[in-house]
């Protein structure tokens, strides 16, 4: 097993779409990504999930994309949003099917400083999964199963593509043979502070902190129990531990950072409205969603797994833009 490292940012963007698309590296990466998507559909379809097509625009979108701005569009005289996340629609879809997933496009105008993190795109996709009447632990187990299955399929089916990229598949030995690690947000904060990193105990793990913890890991691990106020109004608060959310992140090994976020969902109308007001959200903007809650949606849990970030990890890439056919790096005009 080689020593883990935090990958360096590769800012050498392609000079043109042709240069990028005709690169042997891009061809190998997109071949791997195609197999990853097929494998995800194999696992989820085999477990009774229905794939639905997510919306691209709507009257509101997820307000919880940290630091990112939303994009407004004119929709027949109405101010609509491009989707930053499909979370609200995933909950609504469970009134039709008990198990659903999307391959969902997302647009987030990330802060300009994220152009140098190696991990952020302004346009990206998520494997979005939601299960009615599921717990956080159910969602965690499903996320682990999905990642293991997809990595196994790529390692077994596309060894030559990984070899062409210089990816050491020995790095996946623990991922494929052992349960993923798990720690609480409080434990992660304590670890970071012991390392000299001033991580706030009341906020999500920052990008530098994630990379530090990830760089020490030899297999992916889950971070659970984020404090209330650090995440969106739809993450359910623990009944046994007030102030703690029933949620999680999945962080990759080798310094690649966060791949996935998920939670048990809050579906009680009054609780959601109160949480919206606590976070300075205007409930009136969410009229269609709140009406769904009034009429009743099932309790659920789910997650969103970033496709380009996941591809970057599997393929061993320097930067996430290499995992997109038409990359949109924050702040950089591109086709």
């Amino acid at each position: 097993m080689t020593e883990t490292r935090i990958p360096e940012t590769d800012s050498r963007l392609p000079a043109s779409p042709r240069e990028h698309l005709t690169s042997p590296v891009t061809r190998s990466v997109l071949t791997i990504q195609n197999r990853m998507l097929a494998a995800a559909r194999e696992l989820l379809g085999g477990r009774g999930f229905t794939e639905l097509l997510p919306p691209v625009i709507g009257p509101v979108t997820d307000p919880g994309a940290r630091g990112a701005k939303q994009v407004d569009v004119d929709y027949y005289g109405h101010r609509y949003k491009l989707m930053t996340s499909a979370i609200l629609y995933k909950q609504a879809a469970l009134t039709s099917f008990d198990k659903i997933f999307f391959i969902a496009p997302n647009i987030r105008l990330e802060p300009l400083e994220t152009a140098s993190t190696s991990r952020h795109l302004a346009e990206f996709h998520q494997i979005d999964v939601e299960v009615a009447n599921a717990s956080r632990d159910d969602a965690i187990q499903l996320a682990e199963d999905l990642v293991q299955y997809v990595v196994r399929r790529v390692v077994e089916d596309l060894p030559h593509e990984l070899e062409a990229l210089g990816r050491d598949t020995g790095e996946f030995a623990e991922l494929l043979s052992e349960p993923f690690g798990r720690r609480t947000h409080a434990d992660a904060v304590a670890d970071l502070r012991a390392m000299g990193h001033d991580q706030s105990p009341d906020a999500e793990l920052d990008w530098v902190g994630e990379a530090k913890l990830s760089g020490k890991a030899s297999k992916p691990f889950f971070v659970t129990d984020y404090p209330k106020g650090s995440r969106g109004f739809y993450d359910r608060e623990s009944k046994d531990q007030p102030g703690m959310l029933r949620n999680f992140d999945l962080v990759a090994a080798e310094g690649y950072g966060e791949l996935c976020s998920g939670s048990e969902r809050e579906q009680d109308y009054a609780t959601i409205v109160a949480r919206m007001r606590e976070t300075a959200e205007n409930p009136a903007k969410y009229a269609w969603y709140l009406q769904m809650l009034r009429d009743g949606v099932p309790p659920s849990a789910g997650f969103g797994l970033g496709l380009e970030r996941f591809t970057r990890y599997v393929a061993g890439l320097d930067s996430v833009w290499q995992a997109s056919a038409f990359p949109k790096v924050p702040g950089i005009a591109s086709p």
Side-chain angles (χ1 to χ4, degrees):
M1 185 76 65
T2 59
E3 183 179 355
T4 59
R5 55 153 177 90
I6 298 176
E8 297 180 358
T9 300
D10 184 355
S11 60
R12 296 169 295 173
L13 293 171
S16 69
R18 175 175 290 277
E19 177 189 348
H20 180 53
L21 291 167
T22 57
S23 164
V25 170
T26 302
R27 183 177 177 85
S28 289
V29 171
L30 296 183
T31 298
I32 288 169
Q33 188 176 90
N34 181 68
R35 186 66 187 96
M36 292 171 67
L37 282 169
R41 288 183 165 112
E42 288 166 11
L43 179 89
L44 295 171
R47 296 192 179 186
F49 282 79
T50 298
E51 180 176 3
L52 301 179
L53 300 177
V56 178
I57 63 172
V60 288
T61 187
D62 177 8
R66 66 179 174 186
K69 294 181 180 179
Q70 300 174 357
V71 179
D72 293 333
V73 296
D74 178 79
Y75 184 70
Y76 300 101
H78 297 275
R79 188 177 180 181
Y80 270 42
K81 304 286 186 182
L82 296 183
M83 290 295 105
T84 63
S85 163
I87 173 59
L88 306 182
Y89 294 90
K90 288 198 297 181
Q91 282 187 277
L94 294 179
T95 59
S96 185
F97 298 96
D98 288 340
K99 298 179 178 181
I100 64 98
F101 75 98
F102 305 145
I103 307 299
N106 294 270
I107 302 292
R108 299 180 187 177
L109 298 185
E110 300 282 1
L112 292 178
E113 59 266 26
T114 62
S116 62
T117 65
S118 303
R119 299 174 53 246
H120 290 83
L121 291 171
E123 179 183 70
F124 63 98
H125 298 78
Q126 290 198 119
I127 304 173
D128 259 313
V129 181
E130 200 74 14
V131 185
N133 301 304
S135 69
R136 179 188 63 184
D137 287 346
D138 294 331
I140 283 177
Q141 188 60 58
L142 179 59
E144 180 173 322
D145 292 348
L146 180 60
V147 168
Q148 286 181 327
Y149 184 84
V150 169
V151 172
R152 182 172 287 108
R153 289 276 63 79
V154 172
V155 169
E156 292 180 355
D157 298 347
L158 298 175
H160 298 303
E161 301 291 358
L162 293 169
E163 183 180 1
L165 295 171
R167 184 52 161 146
D168 178 7
T169 57
E171 297 290 353
F172 300 131
E174 290 185 50
L175 179 156
L176 294 172
S177 62
E178 300 178 7
F180 293 176
R182 192 184 296 199
R183 66 182 66 179
T184 66
H185 176 269
D187 288 340
V189 169
D191 287 348
L192 287 171
R193 291 191 160 189
M195 295 164 62
H197 182 71
D198 189 21
Q199 170 65 48
S200 168
D202 301 316
E204 290 187 292
L205 301 181
D206 60 40
W207 300 315
V208 173
E210 278 179 5
K212 286 180 177 291
L213 293 175
S214 175
K216 292 173 59 181
S218 57
K219 62 182 177 182
F221 61 92
F222 292 99
V223 179
T224 65
D225 302 316
Y226 280 74
K228 185 181 178 184
S230 66
R231 289 287 179 89
F233 54 74
Y234 40 76
D235 282 12
R236 179 175 291 161
E237 184 176 2
S238 171
K239 293 181 180 179
D240 300 326
Q241 296 176 288
M244 202 81 72
L245 298 175
R246 297 280 296 167
N247 61 2
F248 66 92
D249 280 349
L250 175 61
V251 180
E254 303 176 75
Y256 285 96
E258 179 205 325
L259 299 179
C260 169
S261 292
S263 73
E264 286 180 20
R265 314 302 187 186
E266 182 56 68
Q267 93 282 4
D268 177 72
Y269 169 80
T271 303
I272 286 283
V273 170
R275 291 278 298 279
M276 285 179 173
R277 288 173 174 155
E278 288 172 4
T279 56
E281 282 293 317
N282 178 8
K285 296 192 305 181
Y286 295 85
W288 77 268
Y289 173 69
L290 292 175
Q291 186 60 51
M292 292 287 296
L293 297 181
R294 277 198 198 97
D295 294 338
V297 298
S300 67
F303 57 84
L305 174 62
L307 176 62
E308 287 84 1
R309 286 186 180 183
F310 191 17
T311 305
R312 178 191 174 216
Y313 171 51
V314 173
L317 305 175
D318 290 319
S319 187
V320 70
W321 69 260
Q322 296 171 286
S324 173
F326 303 98
K328 302 291 193 302
V329 176
I332 299 176
S334 54

